[in-house]
Amino acid sequence: MEKTMRGLGVSPGLAIGGVRRMGAGVGEPPAVHVGRREVPRELARIRPAVEAVADDLTARGERGGGEARAVLDAQAMMARDPALLDDVEQRITSGSGAERAVYDAFGAYRELLAGAGEYLAGRVADLDDVRDRIVARLLGVPMPGVPDSDEPYVLIARDLAPADTALLDPALVLGFVTEQGGPTSHSAILARALGVPAVVALPGAGALAEGTVVAVDGSTGEVYVDPEPARRAELTAAAARTAAAAAAATGPGATRDGHRVPLLANVGGPADVPAALAAGAEGVGLFRTEFLFLDDSRRAPSRETQVRAYREVLAAFPDSRVVVRVLDAGADKPLDFLTPAAEPNPALGVRGLRALLDHPEVLRAQLTALGEAAEGLPVALDVMAPMVADRADARAFADACAQTGLRAKAGAMVEIPAAALRARSILREADFLSLGTNDLAQYAFAADRQAGALARLQDPWQPALLDLVALSATAARDAGKGCGVCGEAAADPLLACVLVGLGVTSLSMSAPAIPHVRAELARHPLARCEEAARAARAAETADDARRAAGAVLSGHGPVSPGEPRSPS
Ligand code: PEP
Ligand code: MG
C-alpha cells in the first residue's frame, strides 16, 4: 500500500525508481569460535567471497578508467593476495569464524602497511575498504560506499560527503534521499549541481528496503513509497508541465513586466562552466575559488595554476559579469596554508576574510593572479570577500584590491547577521553586496548547516532570514548599489520571486536551477513578487511563509491594489 514520507525538498524534479542504499561501514564482526566440524564450511565461504569482491573491483575500474582504474586494480590485487588468504585460512582452521578471520588477518597486514613509510601508509584506507567489502559480502549486507549498479536507482543515505558524490554516476542516480543534511548541506548543494531531485532530513529513510520503489518529489519534499499508478501518473504529468515551462522560458531573467534580474551561475571551477552556459547563465555570481585547491591544501597554489584556472572561467563569459570570491577557507573547507590547525569551533573561528587578513600575502597573490587572468578579456570582473563582519573588514578588502591595482568592483558577502544589520555602513566601502544565505541562516539561527536535526532552522524561508535579506537589499538600493543572492535560497523558484520582491537585484545558483527560476520569475509582475515578499515576512514560521507567498504567487492570496487577480 502507498505510504507518504515527508522530508525537505532541496533539489526540484521527480525521480521514480528502486531504492539502493549507501552501504554503511560494516564494523568489527564479533569473535565467534567455530567447532572443528564447521571449519570446512567456513573455509569454503572465503574464496568465492574474495573472488566476487576482486571481480567487482576490477569491473568498477574498467568502467571508471584513468586513475580510478589503477586504484581499483590495486585493491583487487590486495583482495587476492595469497599471503593474506593463507593467513585467513589458518585463522579459520584455528577456530575463527570466516568474517572475523578476514577482519583479523587484514588487521595484521594493516599494521605492517601503516608502519612502512608514507606511501604504503596511504594505502591503509584502500586495504580497509577491501576488508569491509569482503566482510560485507560474507554477511550478505550492502557494500560500503556508493552502490554498484547497472540499473538507475534512487540513492538512500544517512548523509553524503563530497567524496561519496564524486563517485556517483549522474546517469544512474535518479534522485537522492538522505536522513541527515539540511537544505544547505553538501548533499543538497551537490544534488542541485548534478541536477537530480533530492529530499534531505527524512527520518526513517534508512529503513527502506533495497529495491523498494519510491517516487521522490524534490520540490515538495514528499517521498511516496510504493506509489499507486494514479499517483505516478499525477506526479509525472506535473513534472512534465514544470519541465516544459522551464524549457519554454528563455532569454535573460526578468519578471513578467520586464523588471530585469540577471540569473547567474555558481561555479567551483572550469569544470562547471559547460553546464552554466547550457542553462543560459548570464554570468557567474559566485566562483568558489577555494574548491580548486581543496585537494592539495598543504601549500598555496602557484600563480600560474591560479591564473590558468581563473582565465578559463573568465574567458567563457565574454561581455558578462563574473563575480569571483576570494578564498573562503576554514570551517568545513580547511586549507592548511591559510587556516589554523586546531580551533575549538572552526565555523566561528578564523575563516574566510579573517584568514586572508592574517595572511595578506595570500590575498595579494590571489588578487594579482585574478588581474592577470582577466587581462585582455572582455569580461566584467567583480571580486568579493566572504565572511565580512563590519565596515573595517570591508575597507580592508577594498584596500587590498586597490593596492594590487585590480580593476574590478570589490564587494562584500553578507553572511554574518551583523553585516546585514549594518549593511549601510558596509556599503560605504563595498561596491556591492552578495547575500550568502547559507551561512547567514547558520549564523542567524546558531544552527550548524551540516546538522540535519536543525534543518528547520536552516530553512531559507525563515521570516527572520527574510528580514535580514530585506535590510541588506534596502540599504543597497538607497546607496544605488547592487545586492545579489548567491546562497541556495536563490535556487528555489518561489523563494527567488520573494527575494526579488525584497529588492534583490541578481540571483546566482547551481546551473540546473536556472531554467526553473527563470520560468517562475517570468510568470509574475514585480508588484506581485513584492506582495509575496510582504506576505512571507508577515508569517511566523518558514512553512507559513512558504504557504503565504505561494498563495500570493498562485493568484489565491492577497493582491496588490490595482493588480488584476490572474490565475497565471
Ligand atoms: C553562503 O554561505 O550562502 C555561500 C554562498 O557560501 P558557501 O555556501 O560557499 O559557504
Ligand atoms: Mg558562505
mmCIF file of all heavy atoms in Angstrom, residues 286 288 325 328 333 351 386-387 413 415 436-440 442-443 449 486, ligand 2:
data_model
loop_
_atom_site.group_PDB
_atom_site.id
_atom_site.type_symbol
_atom_site.label_atom_id
_atom_site.label_comp_id
_atom_site.label_asym_id
_atom_site.label_seq_id
_atom_site.Cartn_x
_atom_site.Cartn_y
_atom_site.Cartn_z
ATOM 1 N N LEU A 286 28.891 33.599 -8.314
ATOM 2 C CA LEU A 286 29.748 33.102 -7.231
ATOM 3 C C LEU A 286 30.695 32.067 -7.807
ATOM 4 O O LEU A 286 30.275 30.992 -8.226
ATOM 5 C CB LEU A 286 28.896 32.451 -6.124
ATOM 6 C CG LEU A 286 29.659 31.644 -5.058
ATOM 7 C CD1 LEU A 286 30.635 32.517 -4.278
ATOM 8 C CD2 LEU A 286 28.696 30.967 -4.094
ATOM 9 N N ARG A 288 33.435 29.878 -6.424
ATOM 10 C CA ARG A 288 34.002 29.453 -5.135
ATOM 11 C C ARG A 288 35.438 28.999 -5.379
ATOM 12 O O ARG A 288 35.695 27.807 -5.596
ATOM 13 C CB ARG A 288 33.200 28.284 -4.557
ATOM 14 C CG ARG A 288 31.797 28.636 -4.071
ATOM 15 C CD ARG A 288 31.112 27.397 -3.526
ATOM 16 N NE ARG A 288 29.981 27.686 -2.667
ATOM 17 C CZ ARG A 288 28.699 27.522 -3.030
ATOM 18 N NH1 ARG A 288 28.394 27.098 -4.236
ATOM 19 N NH2 ARG A 288 27.730 27.789 -2.178
ATOM 20 N N ARG A 325 34.837 34.989 -5.805
ATOM 21 C CA ARG A 325 35.006 35.112 -4.353
ATOM 22 C C ARG A 325 36.421 34.717 -4.000
ATOM 23 O O ARG A 325 36.885 33.644 -4.410
ATOM 24 C CB ARG A 325 34.012 34.193 -3.641
ATOM 25 C CG ARG A 325 34.258 34.181 -2.137
ATOM 26 C CD ARG A 325 33.194 33.455 -1.398
ATOM 27 N NE ARG A 325 33.322 32.016 -1.520
ATOM 28 C CZ ARG A 325 32.428 31.161 -1.029
ATOM 29 N NH1 ARG A 325 31.342 31.622 -0.432
ATOM 30 N NH2 ARG A 325 32.605 29.868 -1.146
ATOM 31 N N ASP A 328 37.630 31.192 0.446
ATOM 32 C CA ASP A 328 36.811 31.087 1.659
ATOM 33 C C ASP A 328 37.215 29.814 2.374
ATOM 34 O O ASP A 328 36.555 28.785 2.271
ATOM 35 C CB ASP A 328 35.322 31.055 1.281
ATOM 36 C CG ASP A 328 34.431 30.977 2.517
ATOM 37 O OD1 ASP A 328 34.912 31.327 3.616
ATOM 38 O OD2 ASP A 328 33.262 30.576 2.385
ATOM 39 N N LYS A 333 35.839 23.742 5.075
ATOM 40 C CA LYS A 333 36.739 23.774 3.913
ATOM 41 C C LYS A 333 38.126 24.247 4.355
ATOM 42 O O LYS A 333 38.575 25.319 3.933
ATOM 43 C CB LYS A 333 36.180 24.735 2.852
ATOM 44 C CG LYS A 333 34.867 24.272 2.246
ATOM 45 C CD LYS A 333 34.295 25.299 1.279
ATOM 46 C CE LYS A 333 33.785 26.500 2.005
ATOM 47 N NZ LYS A 333 33.001 27.424 1.172
ATOM 48 N N ARG A 351 38.040 32.078 9.692
ATOM 49 C CA ARG A 351 37.683 31.559 8.370
ATOM 50 C C ARG A 351 37.409 32.733 7.430
ATOM 51 O O ARG A 351 37.258 33.871 7.860
ATOM 52 C CB ARG A 351 36.479 30.606 8.426
ATOM 53 C CG ARG A 351 35.191 31.203 8.920
ATOM 54 C CD ARG A 351 33.971 30.347 8.584
ATOM 55 N NE ARG A 351 33.692 30.335 7.155
ATOM 56 C CZ ARG A 351 32.517 30.010 6.627
ATOM 57 N NH1 ARG A 351 31.508 29.663 7.402
ATOM 58 N NH2 ARG A 351 32.327 30.037 5.318
ATOM 59 N N PRO A 386 34.413 36.784 1.404
ATOM 60 C CA PRO A 386 33.479 36.022 2.246
ATOM 61 C C PRO A 386 33.603 36.448 3.705
ATOM 62 O O PRO A 386 34.664 36.888 4.137
ATOM 63 C CB PRO A 386 33.977 34.579 2.074
ATOM 64 C CG PRO A 386 35.445 34.715 1.801
ATOM 65 C CD PRO A 386 35.649 36.046 1.105
ATOM 66 N N MET A 387 32.517 36.294 4.451
ATOM 67 C CA MET A 387 32.532 36.484 5.906
ATOM 68 C C MET A 387 32.973 37.890 6.330
ATOM 69 O O MET A 387 33.795 38.066 7.228
ATOM 70 C CB MET A 387 33.463 35.441 6.549
ATOM 71 C CG MET A 387 33.006 34.020 6.365
ATOM 72 S SD MET A 387 31.545 33.629 7.336
ATOM 73 C CE MET A 387 32.194 33.718 8.990
ATOM 74 N N MET A 413 30.380 39.927 0.921
ATOM 75 C CA MET A 413 29.313 38.946 1.129
ATOM 76 C C MET A 413 28.658 39.234 2.471
ATOM 77 O O MET A 413 29.330 39.557 3.441
ATOM 78 C CB MET A 413 29.877 37.526 1.121
ATOM 79 C CG MET A 413 30.255 37.063 -0.272
ATOM 80 S SD MET A 413 30.645 35.303 -0.292
ATOM 81 C CE MET A 413 29.004 34.566 -0.208
ATOM 82 N N GLU A 415 27.037 37.385 5.172
ATOM 83 C CA GLU A 415 26.851 36.024 5.683
ATOM 84 C C GLU A 415 26.749 36.031 7.205
ATOM 85 O O GLU A 415 26.452 35.021 7.821
ATOM 86 C CB GLU A 415 28.041 35.138 5.288
ATOM 87 C CG GLU A 415 28.295 35.113 3.800
ATOM 88 C CD GLU A 415 29.380 34.134 3.413
ATOM 89 O OE1 GLU A 415 30.574 34.514 3.497
ATOM 90 O OE2 GLU A 415 29.046 33.017 3.030
ATOM 91 N N GLY A 436 25.083 35.601 1.162
ATOM 92 C CA GLY A 436 25.364 34.162 1.277
ATOM 93 C C GLY A 436 24.362 33.607 2.288
ATOM 94 O O GLY A 436 24.638 33.529 3.482
ATOM 95 N N THR A 437 23.193 33.252 1.786
ATOM 96 C CA THR A 437 22.106 32.890 2.713
ATOM 97 C C THR A 437 22.373 31.586 3.461
ATOM 98 O O THR A 437 21.758 31.349 4.492
ATOM 99 C CB THR A 437 20.766 32.793 1.960
ATOM 100 O OG1 THR A 437 20.973 31.995 0.779
ATOM 101 C CG2 THR A 437 20.248 34.155 1.573
ATOM 102 N N ASN A 438 23.288 30.757 2.944
ATOM 103 C CA ASN A 438 23.585 29.503 3.658
ATOM 104 C C ASN A 438 24.217 29.816 5.015
ATOM 105 O O ASN A 438 23.782 29.341 6.057
ATOM 106 C CB ASN A 438 24.548 28.618 2.861
ATOM 107 C CG ASN A 438 24.091 28.398 1.434
ATOM 108 O OD1 ASN A 438 22.905 28.441 1.174
ATOM 109 N ND2 ASN A 438 25.026 28.177 0.526
ATOM 110 N N ASP A 439 25.279 30.614 4.965
ATOM 111 C CA ASP A 439 25.932 30.970 6.219
ATOM 112 C C ASP A 439 25.092 31.971 7.003
ATOM 113 O O ASP A 439 25.077 31.943 8.237
ATOM 114 C CB ASP A 439 27.336 31.524 5.952
ATOM 115 C CG ASP A 439 28.343 30.397 5.792
ATOM 116 O OD1 ASP A 439 28.300 29.449 6.602
ATOM 117 O OD2 ASP A 439 29.147 30.433 4.843
ATOM 118 N N LEU A 440 24.395 32.851 6.301
ATOM 119 C CA LEU A 440 23.583 33.840 7.012
ATOM 120 C C LEU A 440 22.536 33.125 7.887
ATOM 121 O O LEU A 440 22.313 33.509 9.039
ATOM 122 C CB LEU A 440 22.901 34.783 6.007
ATOM 123 C CG LEU A 440 22.243 36.032 6.594
ATOM 124 C CD1 LEU A 440 23.223 36.867 7.413
ATOM 125 C CD2 LEU A 440 21.629 36.899 5.487
ATOM 126 N N GLN A 442 22.848 29.988 8.983
ATOM 127 C CA GLN A 442 23.606 29.263 10.014
ATOM 128 C C GLN A 442 23.911 30.179 11.210
ATOM 129 O O GLN A 442 23.731 29.793 12.368
ATOM 130 C CB GLN A 442 24.903 28.740 9.396
ATOM 131 C CG GLN A 442 26.025 28.462 10.382
ATOM 132 C CD GLN A 442 27.116 27.578 9.807
ATOM 133 O OE1 GLN A 442 27.047 26.364 9.931
ATOM 134 N NE2 GLN A 442 28.124 28.167 9.189
ATOM 135 N N TYR A 443 24.355 31.404 10.898
ATOM 136 C CA TYR A 443 24.758 32.284 11.994
ATOM 137 C C TYR A 443 23.563 32.999 12.635
ATOM 138 O O TYR A 443 23.587 33.288 13.821
ATOM 139 C CB TYR A 443 25.811 33.291 11.502
ATOM 140 C CG TYR A 443 27.098 32.597 11.079
ATOM 141 C CD1 TYR A 443 27.614 32.744 9.796
ATOM 142 C CD2 TYR A 443 27.775 31.765 11.965
ATOM 143 C CE1 TYR A 443 28.774 32.074 9.409
ATOM 144 C CE2 TYR A 443 28.931 31.098 11.581
ATOM 145 C CZ TYR A 443 29.429 31.263 10.303
ATOM 146 O OH TYR A 443 30.573 30.600 9.938
ATOM 147 N N ARG A 449 25.106 24.298 9.643
ATOM 148 C CA ARG A 449 24.454 23.977 8.366
ATOM 149 C C ARG A 449 24.592 22.518 7.961
ATOM 150 O O ARG A 449 23.898 22.052 7.064
ATOM 151 C CB ARG A 449 24.946 24.913 7.254
ATOM 152 C CG ARG A 449 26.419 24.852 7.006
ATOM 153 C CD ARG A 449 26.869 26.027 6.166
ATOM 154 N NE ARG A 449 26.798 25.754 4.744
ATOM 155 C CZ ARG A 449 27.372 26.499 3.814
ATOM 156 N NH1 ARG A 449 28.017 27.599 4.167
ATOM 157 N NH2 ARG A 449 27.304 26.190 2.551
ATOM 158 N N CYS A 486 23.551 34.732 -3.539
ATOM 159 C CA CYS A 486 24.277 33.612 -4.151
ATOM 160 C C CYS A 486 24.213 32.368 -3.287
ATOM 161 O O CYS A 486 24.861 31.375 -3.564
ATOM 162 C CB CYS A 486 25.727 33.987 -4.439
ATOM 163 S SG CYS A 486 26.676 34.296 -2.950
HETATM 164 MG MG MG B 2 29.287 31.030 2.892
#
